[in-house]
Amino acid sequence: VLQPGDVIHTGESSRVLVRLSERSLVKLGENGQLRFAELSPTSEVFRAALGVLQGAFRFTTDLAMKARRREVSTTVATVTAGIRGTDLWGRSRGDTEIVCLIEGAVEVAAPNEQPVRMDQPRQSSRRIAGQAQPVGLVEPAQLQQWAQETDIQAGRAATGSARRGVRSRRNQRASVASQALAPMGSSHQAEWPN
């Protein structure tokens, strides 16, 4: 069982998928570090604070539990996303932080900045060298490419994926599974680099 303060690390060519107690899924891509700052499951509301210290991640709410109240925040390096939606992808690599909404709604903010609400599929917020960039809309192909950074690769046994290159600070086993990215529409407003 994961506890507040636990950190999961993934190595090269490894990924992990963690099922939280309220059935949301958190995926972490290769060479990633994910800190569980808060995990407070109660019958009234599920509270969690996740910190993506490095690498790509994806947070997906179980459709059957979509109506359950939750207060989840995810910090990607210095950008915090208050999750009110069901599906979110993000990454921290070097001096670039990206948060991309797949479904639902999020508020994204960095310290000393006003929150920006994203409520359209494929809206993305990006910071480069500490500077916020305008919110843009990514192409479906770009989102598919990003999603591959966190997806468990087909043909790899779930237990093998969990054992190779994945460790937590408390050496706990993580629940690993795969989930396909839902098809996206075709409209666009901006092109985003990898």
Side-chain angles (χ1 to χ4, degrees):
V1 175
L2 289 170
Q3 301 293 321
D6 284 350
V7 177
I8 293 177
H9 301 263
T10 56
E12 189 172 330
S13 299
S14 65
R15 291 163 173 74
V16 67
L17 189 145
V18 177
R19 182 179 302 274
L20 300 178
S21 64
E22 48 71 81
R23 297 177 53 185
S24 290
L25 302 175
V26 180
K27 296 179 182 180
L28 182 64
E30 71 177 339
N31 298 315
Q33 294 180 28
L34 176 65
R35 182 175 184 267
F36 294 86
E38 178 185 1
L39 292 170
S40 301
T42 68
S43 59
E44 296 173 11
V45 64
F46 175 80
R47 287 186 176 86
L50 312 175
V52 181
L53 307 174
Q54 180 177 314
F57 84 99
R58 184 168 174 182
F59 177 91
T60 306
T61 300
D62 183 285
L63 291 177
M65 302 301 286
K66 194 173 181 177
R68 181 166 184 211
R69 277 199 58 219
R70 64 181 46 83
E71 294 176 11
V72 178
S73 68
T74 301
T75 302
V76 180
T78 62
V79 177
T80 300
I83 299 173
R84 290 168 198 33
T86 60
D87 207 347
L88 175 73
W89 182 93
R91 178 179 67 205
S92 173
R93 182 184 295 157
D95 68 350
T96 302
E97 300 142 13
I98 301 170
V99 174
C100 183
L101 179 66
I102 298 170
E103 180 182 312
V106 296
E107 285 188 359
V108 179
N112 303 318
E113 291 183 4
Q114 290 295 319
V116 174
R117 181 174 170 81
M118 297 191 308
D119 57 10
Q120 300 298 311
R122 296 185 289 113
Q123 278 185 312
S124 292
S125 171
R126 186 171 53 147
R127 289 180 60 82
I128 300 174
Q131 298 296 312
Q133 306 297 306
V135 169
L137 194 63
V138 300
E139 292 284 343
Q142 178 64 70
L143 183 55
Q144 288 284 348
Q145 182 180 354
W146 285 343
Q148 290 175 11
E149 294 183 32
T150 57
D151 286 346
I152 305 296
Q153 296 168 354
R156 292 179 68 178
T159 55
S161 296
R163 290 183 184 145
R164 257 193 317 274
V166 178
R167 59 186 167 86
S168 76
R169 192 188 76 193
R170 295 171 45 135
N171 294 323
Q172 297 170 339
R173 295 183 66 198
S175 170
V176 178
S178 63
Q179 178 178 349
L181 178 66
M184 298 290 149
S186 60
S187 64
H188 67 280
Q189 292 179 356
E191 291 187 19
W192 289 55
N194 295 335

